[in-house]
Amino acid sequence: MNQEWTVERHLPGKPPEVVALYHRFIELAQACGPFTYAVSKSAITLKGTRRGFAGASLGKQALSGYLDLPRRVEDPRITRSSPYTKRLWVHHFRIDSLSHLDQHFAGWLGEAYRVGGGAHLDPPVKTRPDLSAALCRLHSGAATRQSVSVNQPTCIERSNWLWPRSTRTS
């Protein structure tokens, strides 16, 4: 008999505490937006519109899984992390308490959700710092100042050029 794997097949026989951890994990993921499941014998994967972004596996004492993030995170809940692609890190986690599924974890799950939607594929903005800073100085009336940071809060990006906020249109 070759039954298809479902979420429901992962739950029977697991300790109620671990099932509660899984349900809380799913609640946090649902708060990010809609997703689909890809279920296998070894894991329950959460998929965004472009790719899987997180997964979970119910153990005897803890919930284990992974999050795909655009940066490396160091935390005791993260058992290991490694580069997955040029723009992604896979983070393996182990959760054994509901208190570990806190706002920090929810934030990581939100980042992973955006990866599932393809946010990691957006090209990084390329600007020439020397030109951008000069334009910022020119348009802000600070052309005589020696140095202006490209990340100066008085500038915003518009079509790969930095412009002062006063010229921004709604």
Side-chain angles (χ1 to χ4, degrees):
M1 182 165 128
N2 189 10
Q3 284 186 317
E4 186 176 320
W5 277 94
T6 64
V7 171
E8 292 75 26
R9 284 188 67 195
H10 278 272
L11 303 180
K14 302 298 182 199
E17 300 82 14
V18 176
V19 173
L21 292 171
Y22 170 75
H23 286 303
R24 179 64 180 143
F25 174 76
I26 295 301
E27 286 174 9
L28 293 175
Q30 288 172 337
C32 298
F35 60 87
T36 58
Y37 294 89
V39 184
S40 68
K41 182 178 180 180
S42 61
I44 301 165
T45 298
L46 311 183
K47 296 183 74 173
T49 56
R50 298 280 306 211
R51 57 169 288 135
F53 61 90
S57 178
L58 291 86
K60 293 180 182 178
Q61 298 176 345
L63 179 71
S64 299
Y66 71 91
L67 302 169
D68 288 343
L69 299 173
R71 63 187 177 98
R72 185 167 188 230
V73 172
E74 292 187 28
D75 187 90
R77 294 167 282 196
I78 305 297
T79 57
R80 72 179 189 267
S81 62
S82 58
Y84 184 67
T85 68
K86 276 182 14 179
R87 297 183 180 183
L88 291 179
W89 288 76
V90 62
H91 295 75
H92 295 270
F93 64 82
R94 183 176 187 279
I95 303 293
D96 58 10
S97 167
L98 281 172
S99 66
H100 292 160
L101 294 170
D102 59 9
Q103 292 302 322
H104 289 291
F105 192 91
W108 302 331
L109 196 50
E111 282 184 65
Y113 180 82
R114 289 186 290 283
V115 164
H120 66 294
L121 300 173
D122 292 337
V125 175
K126 294 180 182 177
T127 59
R128 287 187 46 200
D130 58 332
L131 211 48
S132 298
L135 283 172
C136 197
R137 285 193 306 268
L138 179 67
H139 288 284
S140 67
T144 59
R145 276 191 262 171
Q146 290 294 325
S147 70
V148 174
S149 169
V150 174
N151 297 324
Q152 184 178 359
T154 60
C155 297
I156 62 167
E157 182 181 307
R158 183 193 293 170
S159 303
N160 290 336
W161 294 96
L162 294 178
W163 296 92
R165 290 187 188 277
S166 61
T167 62
R168 178 172 44 180
T169 58
S170 300

